Amino acid sequence: MLRGLYTAAAGMTTQQRRHDTVTQNIANMNTPGYKQENSVQRSFPEMLISMTGGNPDNPDRTVGKLNTGVFAEESLSPYIQGALKDSGQATDFAIQSNISVNDPATGQPMAFDQAGKFVNANGEVTYRPEAFFTVRDNNGNVRYTRDGHFRVNGAGALLSSTGSAVLDTNGNPIQLTSAVSALKVNERGELVDSQSNQTLGTTLGISVIDRPYQLVREGNGNFRLNDTDGATARMMTANDAVSVRQGYLEVSNVDAAQSMVDMMAALRAYEANQKVIQFYDKSLDKAVNEVGRV
């Protein structure tokens, strides 16, 4: 009889984690470059149950399969392009990424869905590569971000909003030699002279991640690459459909309406599982305190 109690408790824990994920998305709706998280629920392995007692030769002793609960396995981030907002600041940058990949079977570009995923006829899944700014944190670790809200310190170094050094295509911190008001970057991320429009030989380090779903969120808009499964990062090339917009910021890709629906659904499911536990508690109370006295 307690099997249902455990199933309801697992459901409450799962809905609580789902609710926490949605509230985190809502709290970061105004965070530049934030990518929302979606909680993925998965059921426990099914059990094959049979009748107990009776004739052991009964061919119908098998009752069937039973699922014993659900759990929140992980949180995945769809790297959907966020809208661009005009900030008017010379040190603000936004990435527009629409990289295409050809299907080896047909030679035609893959038709990625809104989540950036393509499934071929054999069921093989391919994710759209995504572009990120490349930064180096205070511990010397290379990280990736879509938050282009940069600033320049007193020494002329270009820093991210969290104080990480913004890197160029050679992996070196970008150092400005002129005033911030003269900073100009073209669509390829190249720093140019504001007077002559000549390139200065320095380019923002735009990294292309071939398997963005393997990025690990570290907080403050930074990601690290989990390369245990062969994921790689490379610098943007001229063939990549990636452009940089100066004076703009990419807003978060959180869907406010859907987030509210998900939060209410998690709340209702949590309450339903809570009611089941209360009913089990009443049944156990009756079995122990009333039936036991008869």
Side-chain angles (χ1 to χ4, degrees):
M1 184 179 68
L2 293 178
R3 183 181 290 127
L5 182 65
Y6 300 142
T7 302
M12 288 182 64
T13 302
T14 299
Q15 296 306 323
Q16 180 181 358
R17 293 178 179 175
R18 179 187 178 190
H19 187 275
D20 292 342
T21 300
V22 176
T23 54
Q24 175 180 306
N25 291 335
I26 295 176
N28 287 278
M29 285 183 58
N30 295 322
T31 301
Y34 177 82
K35 301 303 178 183
Q36 73 172 16
E37 286 188 287
N38 295 330
S39 180
V40 179
Q41 290 88 43
R42 184 166 298 178
S43 61
F44 289 132
E46 293 181 335
M47 300 171 56
L48 183 64
I49 60 176
S50 303
M51 292 187 297
T52 59
N55 185 3
D57 297 329
N58 184 359
D60 298 325
R61 288 176 56 86
T62 300
V63 176
K65 294 182 179 180
L66 175 68
N67 192 286
T68 57
V70 65
F71 66 103
E73 183 181 37
E74 59 181 339
S75 296
L76 300 178
S77 297
Y79 294 93
I80 304 172
Q81 176 74 47
L84 302 189
K85 179 181 68 174
D86 186 358
S87 67
Q89 299 293 325
T91 55
D92 285 344
F93 302 93
I95 293 178
Q96 282 186 310
S97 178
N98 189 25
I99 301 175
S100 61
V101 179
N102 290 333
D103 187 354
T106 63
Q108 300 297 320
M110 296 180 179
F112 294 102
D113 59 17
Q114 291 185 350
K117 182 175 63 177
F118 171 78
V119 182
N120 64 13
N122 298 324
E124 299 173 342
V125 180
T126 303
Y127 291 86
R128 184 198 302 274
E130 295 293 341
F132 295 83
F133 295 109
T134 312
V135 299
R136 181 185 296 159
D137 62 21
N138 295 329
N139 296 322
N141 301 313
V142 175
R143 296 294 182 257
Y144 308 97
T145 182
R146 289 293 286 256
D147 182 3
H149 185 47
F150 299 155
R151 60 183 175 86
V152 179
N153 64 8
L158 188 63
L159 306 177
S160 69
S161 59
T162 59
S164 299
V166 180
L167 305 182
D168 60 15
T169 52
N170 297 319
N172 300 318
I174 295 179
Q175 193 77 24
L176 302 181
T177 58
S178 58
V180 176
S181 58
L183 176 63
K184 186 176 180 181
V185 176
N186 61 18
E187 291 187 351
R188 301 305 301 171
E190 299 171 330
L191 274 68
V192 299
D193 184 84
S194 59
Q195 301 296 329
S196 62
N197 284 330
Q198 297 295 319
T199 60
L200 301 177
T202 302
T203 305
L204 291 174
I206 308 297
S207 295
V208 176
I209 311 297
D210 63 342
R211 300 179 185 177
Y213 63 93
Q214 291 186 1
L215 288 171
V216 179
R217 191 185 301 265
E218 288 198 337
N220 298 320
N222 291 334
F223 297 86
R224 62 179 173 86
L225 182 61
N226 183 9
D227 57 357
T228 56
D229 294 330
T232 60
R234 61 174 177 81
M235 284 296 165
M236 178 185 67
T237 65
N239 296 326
D240 294 319
V242 179
S243 62
V244 179
R245 299 286 301 275
Q246 185 177 13
Y248 288 81
L249 287 174
E250 180 185 4
V251 301
S252 70
N253 63 356
V254 176
D255 187 334
Q258 186 62 47
S259 295
M260 293 302 298
V261 171
D262 292 342
M263 186 166 61
M264 293 303 298
L267 176 61
R268 298 307 182 196
Y270 184 92
E271 292 175 341
N273 285 284
Q274 185 183 42
K275 292 294 184 182
V276 172
I277 292 180
Q278 291 175 349
F279 291 146
Y280 267 100
D281 180 63
K282 292 179 180 179
S283 298
L284 291 172
D285 177 69
K286 184 178 291 291
V288 172
N289 297 319
E290 297 183 18
V291 177
R293 291 200 300 263
V294 176

